[in-house]
Amino acid sequence: MLALLHTSPVHVPVFDALRDEAHPGLELRHFVDEGLLERARATGPDAVAADVRAAVDRAVADGARAVLCTCSTIGAVAEAYGAEAGVPVLRIDRPMAAAAVAAGSRVVVLAALASTLGPTAALIEEEARSAARPVTVRTVLVDGAWARFEAGDGEGYVRLVAKAADAVADADAIVLAQASMAPARELTTTSVPVLASPRPGLTAGAEAARGG
Protein backbone atom coordinates (compact mmCIF):
# COMPACT_ATOMS: atom_id res chain seq x y z
CA MET A 1 0.00 0.00 0.00
CA LEU A 2 1.17 3.50 -0.88
CA ALA A 3 0.04 6.32 1.39
CA LEU A 4 -0.36 9.80 -0.05
CA LEU A 5 -0.08 12.84 2.20
CA HIS A 6 -2.11 15.72 0.74
CA THR A 7 -2.83 19.28 1.82
CA SER A 8 -5.95 19.52 -0.36
CA PRO A 9 -8.73 17.02 -1.05
CA VAL A 10 -8.73 17.92 -4.75
CA HIS A 11 -5.73 15.62 -5.21
CA VAL A 12 -7.55 12.45 -4.16
CA PRO A 13 -9.47 11.79 -7.41
CA VAL A 14 -6.50 12.93 -9.51
CA PHE A 15 -4.17 10.34 -8.04
CA ASP A 16 -6.85 7.65 -8.01
CA ALA A 17 -7.29 8.21 -11.75
CA LEU A 18 -3.55 8.10 -12.39
CA ARG A 19 -3.32 4.88 -10.37
CA ASP A 20 -6.14 3.30 -12.39
CA GLU A 21 -4.45 4.32 -15.63
CA ALA A 22 -0.83 3.49 -14.95
CA HIS A 23 -0.63 1.33 -11.81
CA PRO A 24 -3.68 -0.95 -11.62
CA GLY A 25 -3.69 -3.08 -8.52
CA LEU A 26 -1.74 -0.56 -6.44
CA GLU A 27 -3.55 0.22 -3.20
CA LEU A 28 -3.60 3.91 -2.36
CA ARG A 29 -4.60 5.41 0.96
CA HIS A 30 -5.09 9.15 1.18
CA PHE A 31 -4.29 11.29 4.23
CA VAL A 32 -5.52 14.89 3.86
CA ASP A 33 -4.56 17.72 6.22
CA GLU A 34 -5.25 21.17 4.78
CA GLY A 35 -3.97 22.80 7.95
CA LEU A 36 -0.40 21.69 7.23
CA LEU A 37 -0.12 23.99 4.23
CA GLU A 38 -1.87 26.85 6.00
CA ARG A 39 0.59 26.70 8.89
CA ALA A 40 3.61 26.17 6.65
CA ARG A 41 2.67 29.26 4.66
CA ALA A 42 2.29 31.30 7.83
CA THR A 43 5.37 30.20 9.74
CA GLY A 44 7.56 28.16 7.39
CA PRO A 45 7.73 24.43 6.54
CA ASP A 46 9.96 23.58 9.50
CA ALA A 47 7.22 24.74 11.86
CA VAL A 48 5.00 21.81 10.81
CA ALA A 49 7.75 19.17 10.90
CA ALA A 50 6.31 17.46 13.99
CA ASP A 51 2.85 17.31 12.44
CA VAL A 52 4.25 15.93 9.18
CA ARG A 53 6.15 13.26 11.08
CA ALA A 54 2.98 12.35 12.98
CA ALA A 55 1.07 12.03 9.70
CA VAL A 56 3.75 9.76 8.26
CA ASP A 57 3.71 7.65 11.41
CA ARG A 58 -0.07 7.25 11.13
CA ALA A 59 0.30 6.11 7.54
CA VAL A 60 2.97 3.58 8.46
CA ALA A 61 0.85 2.29 11.34
CA ASP A 62 -1.98 1.91 8.84
CA GLY A 63 0.18 -0.42 6.73
CA ALA A 64 1.91 1.89 4.26
CA ARG A 65 4.96 0.43 2.53
CA ALA A 66 5.90 3.92 1.33
CA VAL A 67 4.60 7.47 1.78
CA LEU A 68 4.36 10.08 -0.98
CA CYS A 69 3.96 13.74 -0.01
CA THR A 70 2.08 15.59 -2.75
CA CYS A 71 2.62 19.09 -1.33
CA SER A 72 5.73 20.83 -2.66
CA THR A 73 5.86 23.30 0.21
CA ILE A 74 6.33 20.60 2.86
CA GLY A 75 7.89 17.91 0.66
CA ALA A 76 11.42 18.40 1.96
CA VAL A 77 10.22 18.12 5.56
CA ALA A 78 8.45 14.85 4.80
CA GLU A 79 11.36 13.43 2.81
CA ALA A 80 13.83 14.21 5.58
CA TYR A 81 11.86 11.98 7.95
CA GLY A 82 12.31 8.93 5.73
CA ALA A 83 15.39 7.66 7.55
CA GLU A 84 13.42 7.43 10.79
CA ALA A 85 10.03 6.41 9.44
CA GLY A 86 11.01 2.84 8.60
CA VAL A 87 9.61 3.10 5.05
CA PRO A 88 10.57 5.28 2.05
CA VAL A 89 9.12 8.79 2.28
CA LEU A 90 9.15 10.58 -1.06
CA ARG A 91 8.31 14.06 -2.27
CA ILE A 92 6.14 14.27 -5.36
CA ASP A 93 8.36 16.74 -7.20
CA ARG A 94 11.79 15.08 -7.11
CA PRO A 95 11.41 13.09 -10.37
CA MET A 96 10.13 16.24 -12.08
CA ALA A 97 13.13 18.21 -10.83
CA ALA A 98 15.51 15.58 -12.17
CA ALA A 99 13.78 15.75 -15.55
CA ALA A 100 14.09 19.54 -15.59
CA VAL A 101 17.82 19.35 -14.95
CA ALA A 102 18.20 16.78 -17.74
CA ALA A 103 16.34 19.09 -20.14
CA GLY A 104 18.89 21.89 -19.95
CA SER A 105 20.52 24.60 -17.91
CA ARG A 106 17.70 27.17 -17.97
CA VAL A 107 14.78 26.18 -15.77
CA VAL A 108 11.77 28.34 -14.97
CA VAL A 109 9.61 27.46 -11.97
CA LEU A 110 5.97 28.53 -11.95
CA ALA A 111 3.99 28.47 -8.71
CA ALA A 112 0.68 29.81 -7.51
CA LEU A 113 1.96 30.03 -3.94
CA ALA A 114 5.05 32.00 -2.95
CA SER A 115 5.82 29.42 -0.25
CA THR A 116 6.41 26.81 -2.98
CA LEU A 117 8.97 28.75 -5.02
CA GLY A 118 11.92 28.45 -2.63
CA PRO A 119 11.58 24.71 -1.90
CA THR A 120 11.15 23.86 -5.58
CA ALA A 121 14.10 25.97 -6.72
CA ALA A 122 16.26 24.44 -3.98
CA LEU A 123 15.26 20.93 -5.08
CA ILE A 124 16.18 21.62 -8.71
CA GLU A 125 19.54 23.03 -7.64
CA GLU A 126 20.10 19.93 -5.48
CA GLU A 127 19.35 17.66 -8.44
CA ALA A 128 21.69 19.72 -10.62
CA ARG A 129 24.52 19.27 -8.13
CA SER A 130 23.86 15.53 -7.98
CA ALA A 131 23.99 15.33 -11.76
CA ALA A 132 27.00 17.67 -11.96
CA ARG A 133 25.12 19.86 -14.43
CA PRO A 134 25.02 23.67 -14.43
CA VAL A 135 21.57 25.14 -13.97
CA THR A 136 20.03 28.57 -13.61
CA VAL A 137 16.63 28.62 -11.93
CA ARG A 138 14.18 31.48 -12.37
CA THR A 139 10.98 31.62 -10.36
CA VAL A 140 7.65 33.12 -11.34
CA LEU A 141 4.64 33.59 -9.08
CA VAL A 142 1.42 33.33 -11.11
CA ASP A 143 -0.53 36.34 -9.88
CA GLY A 144 -4.12 35.66 -8.96
CA ALA A 145 -3.94 31.91 -9.55
CA TRP A 146 -4.18 30.76 -5.93
CA ALA A 147 -7.21 32.96 -5.31
CA ARG A 148 -8.94 31.15 -8.17
CA PHE A 149 -7.95 27.78 -6.69
CA GLU A 150 -9.26 28.69 -3.24
CA ALA A 151 -12.49 29.93 -4.78
CA GLY A 152 -13.02 26.56 -6.45
CA ASP A 153 -12.45 27.94 -9.94
CA GLY A 154 -10.25 25.14 -11.19
CA GLU A 155 -10.63 26.08 -14.85
CA GLY A 156 -9.66 29.69 -14.21
CA TYR A 157 -6.73 28.53 -12.12
CA VAL A 158 -5.20 26.34 -14.80
CA ARG A 159 -5.86 28.93 -17.51
CA LEU A 160 -3.79 31.49 -15.60
CA VAL A 161 -1.02 28.94 -15.13
CA ALA A 162 -1.03 28.03 -18.82
CA LYS A 163 -0.93 31.70 -19.80
CA ALA A 164 2.09 32.21 -17.53
CA ALA A 165 3.83 29.21 -19.07
CA ASP A 166 3.24 30.50 -22.58
CA ALA A 167 4.80 33.82 -21.59
CA VAL A 168 8.10 32.20 -20.58
CA ALA A 169 11.05 32.86 -22.88
CA ASP A 170 14.65 31.66 -22.88
CA ALA A 171 14.08 28.42 -21.01
CA ASP A 172 14.90 24.76 -21.53
CA ALA A 173 12.17 23.55 -19.19
CA ILE A 174 9.18 24.97 -17.35
CA VAL A 175 8.38 23.38 -14.01
CA LEU A 176 4.85 23.49 -12.61
CA ALA A 177 5.76 23.55 -8.95
CA GLN A 178 2.44 22.38 -7.50
CA ALA A 179 0.69 19.13 -8.32
CA SER A 180 -2.61 20.99 -8.76
CA MET A 181 -1.11 22.89 -11.71
CA ALA A 182 -0.67 19.76 -13.85
CA PRO A 183 -3.82 20.19 -16.02
CA ALA A 184 -2.36 23.45 -17.36
CA ARG A 185 0.04 21.40 -19.48
CA GLU A 186 -2.84 20.51 -21.79
CA LEU A 187 -3.63 24.20 -22.39
CA THR A 188 -0.14 25.49 -23.15
CA THR A 189 1.08 26.31 -26.65
CA THR A 190 4.74 26.94 -25.81
CA SER A 191 7.44 24.83 -27.48
CA VAL A 192 9.34 24.66 -24.17
CA PRO A 193 8.79 21.36 -22.32
CA VAL A 194 6.31 21.87 -19.48
CA LEU A 195 6.84 19.44 -16.61
CA ALA A 196 4.34 18.42 -13.93
CA SER A 197 4.83 16.24 -10.88
CA PRO A 198 1.85 13.89 -10.38
CA ARG A 199 2.57 11.18 -12.96
CA PRO A 200 6.34 10.71 -12.43
CA GLY A 201 5.94 11.21 -8.70
CA LEU A 202 3.29 8.51 -8.42
CA THR A 203 5.46 6.17 -10.48
CA ALA A 204 8.32 6.65 -8.03
CA GLY A 205 5.96 6.10 -5.11
CA ALA A 206 4.57 2.93 -6.65
CA GLU A 207 8.06 1.53 -7.17
CA ALA A 208 8.99 2.33 -3.58
CA ALA A 209 5.82 0.70 -2.23
CA ARG A 210 6.50 -2.43 -4.26
CA GLY A 211 10.09 -2.53 -3.07
CA GLY A 212 11.50 -1.64 -6.47
Side-chain angles (χ1 to χ4, degrees):
M1 184 264 281
L2 174 65
L4 280 73
L5 175 58
H6 307 296
T7 54
S8 173
V10 302
H11 296 309
V12 173
V14 172
F15 282 94
D16 280 344
L18 280 176
R19 183 270 316 277
D20 293 345
E21 176 187 337
H23 308 282
L26 174 67
E27 181 185 356
L28 296 183
R29 201 154 303 169
H30 302 279
F31 295 80
V32 181
D33 186 343
E34 295 178 87
L36 286 176
L37 178 57
E38 295 170 4
R39 295 193 298 276
R41 289 178 64 193
T43 56
D46 289 340
V48 298
D51 293 325
V52 171
R53 290 195 295 268
V56 171
D57 287 342
R58 285 195 300 274
V60 174
D62 205 37
R65 298 290 299 274
V67 179
L68 179 65
C69 179
T70 64
C71 176
S72 299
T73 297
I74 64 171
V77 173
E79 187 182 60
Y81 187 53
E84 301 175 50
V87 302
V89 180
L90 296 80
R91 54 187 295 176
I92 189 75
D93 47 359
R94 186 171 288 281
M96 174 181 65
V101 170
S105 61
R106 303 170 301 169
V107 178
V108 173
V109 174
L110 301 184
L113 276 175
S115 63
T116 306
L117 292 173
T120 305
L123 176 62
I124 293 168
E125 290 164 353
E126 178 187 332
E127 286 293 323
R129 288 192 296 272
S130 296
R133 296 175 65 98
V135 67
T136 300
V137 182
R138 304 197 327 262
T139 60
V140 177
L141 182 64
V142 184
D143 289 336
W146 192 248
R148 297 283 182 93
F149 181 85
E150 290 187 310
D153 181 9
E155 291 184 8
Y157 172 58
V158 297
R159 280 199 303 270
L160 283 178
V161 173
K163 182 178 179 181
D166 287 338
V168 170
D170 301 321
D172 297 307
I174 298 169
V175 166
L176 302 182
Q178 294 158 249
S180 58
M181 304 169 86
R185 291 183 70 198
E186 308 304 320
L187 302 179
T188 60
T189 59
T190 179
S191 60
V192 179
V194 179
L195 307 179
S197 62
R199 187 178 297 276
L202 183 61
T203 295
E207 291 174 355
R210 289 169 173 155

